[in-house]
Amino acid sequence: MSTAASAKNGTWRNWGGNVAARPAREVTPASVDELAAAVRKAAEDGLKVKAVGTGHSFTSIAATDGVLIRPQLLTGFRNIDRDAMTVTVEAGTPLKRLNMALAREGLSLTNMGDIMEQTVSGATSTGTHGTGRESGSIAAQIRGLELVTADGSVLSCSEKENPEVFAAARIGLGALGVVTAITFAVEPVFLLTAREEPMSFDKVTSAFDELWAENEHFEFYWFPHTGSTNTKRNNRSAGPEKPVPQLQGWIEDEFLSNGVFQVAQWVGRAAPGTIPSIARISSKALSARTYTDIPYKVFTSPRRVRFVEMEYAVPREAVVETLRELKTMIERSGLKVSFPVEVRTAPADDITLSTASGRDSAYIAVHMVKGTPYQAYFTAAERIFTAHEGRPHWGKVHTRDAEYFAGVYPRFGEFTALRDRLDPDRRFQNDYLRRVLGA
């Protein structure tokens, strides 16, 4: 299974290869009733329960030595409501299938992340997001949720039904129950024009506020050891459709962004001293381009180079200062960083433990290629992020605990109180949740 997590000899591993677990048993339920029965049976046997998607989290959020629930049979559409403009899908549906099926129906999500291998429940439960001036994370587009709680009962929630559960469960970290279905807001499919072009680090940081304000979706990648970035602006377009030609797309998205990039990572891993030179070449490899296509073909791209990632949300007004501190730290540290730093934004939302909860946010993501030591870089970066009251992505590497989160999430106590009510015996507990939510 190249895109997902793998299970060999009873050992489960995540996509990044940095987390492994040995569950007592695995269950692949084909219905909500079967899932509820599996949760009740786990309680009888005194076992913890965790649902796992495709293992795209770099934290041990899905790891368990108890019962591992695999959702691959809980997939597909339950309902499309064209009056309400919502679609309800089973929790194990991969984002890729959701996006393609919606496009066939002439519909689309408003915003999405840049990878679509994850399941809808895995992506939303960890707070997966793209970039947007007004449109938020995938979870911010949820209009209803169904979950199996610790006693095996099925609970539905929305703004009207169990609203306090809805406020928290959209990004529930797997702590409140096993999500079985999600209702998303959708809209008629639209076109986006993507404008990708190189820009200097100094220019993009000094003009960041304007670039953010002038574009519906703005993001950029900075190449450490260089003064270069690659910017991407996505805005709605009246058309016509003008996709990237197939050969050009293969050269840019597969050959350069994945193939050559992979080779560069191998070289950098074998000879770290070459990384600054490789970075200078890489930062100039992708030239400017403009194309117009339907949303998922613009927002998402293949990621075949395996990596480990840390990402923090800082208040949007602090992003430039944070980035400049990160750049200074890398230059002074002697670290050799071969992977670009990704910068995105999200508007404030009303989800209890969303990284954008109650504040306009900017995301800074640092990566290291799979198999290279990342601790020194991530530790130094994390020191900078936390000095700005950063909130780490729940599915990416970080060292924060419940005490820290109580300080950066005003509604943290609201979430833990709800967890006490829905899962008093900690059926869905694991080491990660014990650390980030407290015992």
Side-chain angles (χ1 to χ4, degrees):
M1 292 188 291
S2 61
T3 55
S6 59
K8 285 192 186 101
N9 339 315
T11 302
W12 173 86
R13 280 193 169 73
N14 69 336
W15 181 86
N18 65 318
V19 176
R22 287 186 73 94
R25 64 172 177 255
E26 292 192 15
V27 182
T28 310
S31 68
V32 176
D33 289 345
E34 280 183 25
L35 197 158
V39 171
R40 286 193 292 270
K41 177 82 171 73
E44 283 166 30
D45 298 342
L47 293 170
K48 304 291 188 194
V49 178
K50 286 299 343 146
V52 65
T54 54
H56 260 268
S57 288
F58 302 100
T59 58
S60 53
I61 190 165
T64 187
D65 56 6
V67 178
L68 191 72
I69 307 253
R70 290 187 170 270
Q72 58 258 46
L73 299 181
L74 295 171
T75 63
F77 280 63
R78 274 195 194 179
N79 178 41
I80 297 175
D81 184 335
R82 289 185 186 271
D83 294 326
M85 285 308 275
T86 60
V87 56
T88 303
V89 288
E90 304 278 345
T93 308
L95 285 170
K96 191 174 201 164
R97 274 186 61 189
L98 171 66
N99 288 332
M100 293 169 89
L102 284 176
R104 281 199 299 273
E105 295 286 342
L107 301 169
S108 177
L109 294 173
T110 299
N111 198 356
M112 54 194 81
D114 55 7
I115 299 177
M116 52 177 185
E117 305 300 335
Q118 310 101 310
T119 60
V120 293
S121 56
T124 54
S125 295
T126 54
T128 298
H129 61 91
T131 190
R133 185 183 58 203
E134 276 113 28
S135 51
S137 68
I138 306 177
Q141 299 167 72
I142 293 177
R143 295 294 172 266
L145 268 185
E146 176 188 89
L147 61 163
V148 171
T149 56
D151 60 2
S153 60
V154 180
L155 178 75
S156 294
C157 63
S158 65
E159 279 179 358
K160 293 190 175 69
E161 189 182 13
N162 298 307
E164 73 296 346
V165 179
F166 184 65
R170 283 172 284 170
I171 299 180
L173 318 186
L176 305 175
V178 178
V179 176
T180 47
I182 301 177
T183 300
F184 289 105
V186 291
E187 56 176 303
V189 74
F190 53 94
L191 292 174
L192 284 171
T193 292
R195 182 174 154 203
E196 299 172 11
E197 63 176 340
M199 196 179 284
S200 74
F201 179 88
D202 293 339
K203 184 175 175 192
V204 82
T205 49
S206 57
F208 182 80
D209 289 342
E210 295 90 275
L211 288 162
W212 170 82
E214 286 163 9
N215 295 283
E216 289 170 72
H217 309 274
F218 176 69
E219 65 186 304
F220 69 94
Y221 294 85
W222 164 58
F223 294 82
H225 314 296
T226 78
S228 307
T229 79
N230 224 333
T231 64
K232 186 169 180 178
R233 292 168 242 208
N234 297 330
N235 290 290
R236 292 195 185 217
S237 163
E241 238 174 279
K242 193 172 163 253
V244 178
Q246 209 167 355
L247 178 62
Q248 184 191 346
W250 181 83
I251 289 171
E252 292 169 345
D253 297 326
E254 287 295 346
F255 182 64
L256 289 174
S257 296
N258 285 298
V260 173
F261 188 59
Q262 176 74 76
V263 173
Q265 296 299 320
W266 287 331
V267 173
R269 214 169 119 184
T274 62
I275 284 173
S277 312
I278 292 172
R280 285 191 286 276
I281 297 163
S282 298
S283 70
K284 305 215 172 358
L286 295 170
S287 50
R289 63 177 183 174
T290 302
Y291 53 97
T292 302
D293 215 327
I294 60 172
Y296 83 84
K297 294 185 178 178
V298 173
F299 284 131
T300 70
S301 51
R303 288 275 190 282
R304 307 202 199 287
V305 180
R306 301 272 169 138
F307 54 82
V308 179
E309 179 178 0
M310 167 184 279
E311 180 185 68
Y312 266 75
V314 297
R316 203 187 66 236
E317 62 274 14
V319 67
V320 171
E321 188 188 340
T322 310
L323 263 174
R324 287 177 178 150
E325 289 170 14
L326 184 70
K327 185 170 188 278
T328 303
M329 179 276 288
I330 292 172
E331 284 164 0
R332 289 181 183 164
S333 66
L335 288 165
K336 298 287 184 275
V337 180
S338 61
F339 232 96
V341 172
E342 184 179 21
V343 181
R344 296 177 287 175
T345 68
D349 64 40
D350 63 349
I351 304 169
T352 319
L353 290 188
S354 163
T355 44
S357 183
R359 76 181 188 196
D360 289 344
S361 300
Y363 296 93
I364 303 176
V366 296
H367 311 69
M368 275 291 206
V369 72
K370 179 183 171 180
T372 37
Y374 58 83
Q375 282 82 357
Y377 177 33
F378 284 12
T379 300
E382 191 172 40
R383 211 171 286 134
I384 293 166
F385 299 148
T386 53
H388 292 280
E389 294 197 342
R391 298 167 177 172
H393 187 302
W394 297 106
K396 296 176 185 176
V397 176
H398 68 88
T399 65
R400 302 296 90 191
D401 60 13
E403 188 184 358
Y404 178 84
F405 291 124
V408 295
Y409 283 101
R411 297 166 65 190
F412 187 75
E414 199 182 304
F415 189 97
T416 53
L418 179 68
R419 181 186 182 217
D420 289 341
R421 179 163 73 90
L422 291 180
D423 187 14
D425 301 328
R426 300 292 186 260
R427 184 66 45 221
F428 303 114
Q429 174 90 288
N430 65 2
D431 290 344
Y432 179 77
L433 292 182
R434 192 176 289 113
R435 168 163 71 93
V436 302
L437 296 175

